[in-house]
């Protein structure tokens, strides 16, 4: 196995654009039709008592578990924003074993809680674990700059330079500042810029004009990159989803399959 299909998506807490209806059931069907191996999700609700009482079609399971279903057998959830009767954050769903995970608090203000969900995934035939980091950065530029520094520091400490790496999520950055910093600090490339189309426009979903969502990689070639946008996708969220087919660089796979692991539990 040398290819990997990934998708990143800000799911808007499971609501369609303008918060008019719960979109989770249709969203699950659409994600399964795209068939990514690893899914990066932002604004995922782990629990919300008030919304569960208000909406008859609200899932009884946490959103990340409901969406994972039987397709993505491992998952991790980083709980970031917490109030008395609700919490939400980032999630990673994987068809392959998640061997380790951690959710690092990168909040810059008590009113805007943010985290970075870091998972190590073991894929069959790969000689090193895949490092995946799911981010949702702050709304203010000064906060994003500090969060990018924390991200770079974490990767320098914990991710070997020759290990496969994917950083994906909602960067809330409509300029190229994040790309310029990460390319310089971490030797990563942005999938859509590498693919030759320039940064992907992902917000708002109906007719995207802002490049808020990104996928950065190290140790991969980009075979395909696609923005899932338009009226059909706007029924699920106010963001467009981004997907990419990545090819592992030659010489970085081994001949025998990796070991299995039990189903993951949510990160606290």
């Amino acid at each position: 196995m040398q290819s990997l299909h990934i998708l990143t998506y800000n799911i808007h807490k499971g609501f369609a654009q303008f918060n008019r209806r719960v979109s989770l059931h249709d969203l699950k069907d659409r994600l399964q039709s795209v068939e990514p191996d690893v899914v990066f999700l932002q604004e995922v609700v782990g629990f919300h008592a008030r919304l569960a009482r208000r909406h008859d079609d609200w899932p009884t399971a946490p959103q990340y578990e409901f969406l994972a279903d039987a397709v993505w057998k491992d998952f991790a959830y980083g709980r970031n924003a917490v109030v008395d009767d609700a919490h939400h954050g980032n999630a990673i769903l994987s068809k392959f074993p998640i061997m380790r995970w951690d959710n690092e608090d990168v909040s810059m203000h008590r009113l805007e809680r943010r985290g970075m969900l870091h998972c190590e995934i073991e894929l069959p035939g790969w000689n090193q674990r895949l490092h995946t980091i799911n981010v949702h950065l702050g709304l203010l530029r000064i906060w994003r700059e500090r969060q990018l520094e924390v991200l770079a520091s974490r990767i320098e400490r914990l991710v070997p330079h020759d290990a496969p790496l994917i950083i994906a999520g909602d960067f809330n950055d409509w300029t190229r500042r994040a790309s310029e910093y990460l390319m310089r600090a971490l030797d990563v490339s942005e999938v859509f810029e590498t693919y030759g189309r320039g940064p992907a426009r992902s917000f708002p979903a109906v007719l995207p004009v802002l490049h808020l969502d990104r996928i950065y990689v190290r140790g991969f070639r980009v075979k395909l990159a696609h923005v899932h946008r338009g009226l059909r996708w706007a029924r699920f969220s106010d963001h467009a989803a981004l997907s990419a087919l990545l090819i592992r660089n030659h010489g970085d796979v081994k001949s025998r399959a990796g070991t299995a692991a039990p189903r993951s539990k949510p990160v606290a």
Side-chain angles (χ1 to χ4, degrees), residues 13-15 22 24-25 45 48 51-52 55-60 63:
K13 301 179 184 176
F15 283 92
V22 176
L24 289 165
H25 298 271
V45 175
H48 204 301
L51 292 177
H55 298 278
D56 293 337
D57 55 350
W58 192 262
T60 56
Q63 288 184 354

Side-chain angles (χ1 to χ4, degrees), residues 55-263:
H55 298 278
D56 293 337
D57 55 350
W58 192 262
T60 56
Q63 288 184 354
Y64 53 87
E65 188 171 347
F66 172 78
L67 293 173
D69 199 19
V71 177
W72 297 277
K73 295 184 178 181
D74 266 21
F75 51 78
Y77 168 65
R79 182 170 53 186
N80 299 328
V82 182
V83 295
D84 291 340
D85 64 347
H87 55 80
H88 71 269
N90 300 334
I92 291 178
L93 317 180
S94 174
K95 292 182 177 179
F96 307 103
I98 298 176
M99 309 303 292
R100 293 185 60 185
W101 62 87
D102 179 46
N103 191 53
E104 182 171 355
D105 186 355
V106 293
S107 304
M108 296 296 158
H109 193 280
R110 63 183 180 85
L111 296 179
E112 189 184 86
R113 309 303 299 179
R114 303 290 187 182
M116 293 180 183
L117 179 60
H118 181 179
C119 294
E120 296 181 27
I121 301 174
E122 188 157 302
L123 283 88
W126 292 31
N127 65 348
Q128 289 178 297
R129 291 178 182 174
L130 168 67
H131 288 258
T132 59
I133 302 181
N134 190 356
V135 306
H136 188 185
L137 301 187
L139 295 174
L140 296 183
R141 189 181 78 183
I142 188 171
W143 295 350
R144 293 194 297 272
E145 290 174 347
R146 294 173 183 171
Q147 288 162 344
L148 288 170
E149 290 174 355
V150 174
L151 172 63
S153 176
R154 179 180 187 87
I155 291 172
E156 288 172 355
R157 294 192 324 269
L158 301 176
V159 182
H161 192 270
D162 59 346
L165 169 66
I166 303 172
I167 311 164
D170 181 354
F171 285 77
N172 271 318
D173 172 39
W174 51 89
T175 70
R176 293 191 73 257
R177 290 179 182 271
S179 290
E180 291 168 354
Y181 175 80
L182 292 175
M183 290 175 184
R184 182 175 66 251
L186 297 173
D187 191 29
V188 296
S189 59
E190 205 284 320
V191 161
F192 286 84
E193 295 188 42
T194 301
Y195 197 58
R197 299 180 179 178
R201 300 180 185 273
S202 61
F203 185 87
V206 174
L207 187 63
V209 294
L210 298 178
H211 333 93
L212 300 187
D213 302 88
R214 312 279 174 80
I215 302 172
Y216 297 93
V217 298
R218 193 169 68 190
F220 292 95
R221 293 183 292 110
V222 181
K223 185 172 183 180
L224 293 171
H226 186 65
V227 183
H228 302 269
R229 61 188 176 189
L231 293 176
R232 288 191 304 171
W233 283 88
R235 296 173 56 236
F236 311 132
S237 173
D238 57 349
H239 282 247
L242 308 183
S243 67
L245 181 61
L246 308 174
I247 307 298
R248 187 75 173 101
N249 286 343
H250 293 296
D252 296 315
V253 295
K254 59 184 180 181
S255 58
R256 60 188 181 86
T259 57
R263 186 174 177 89

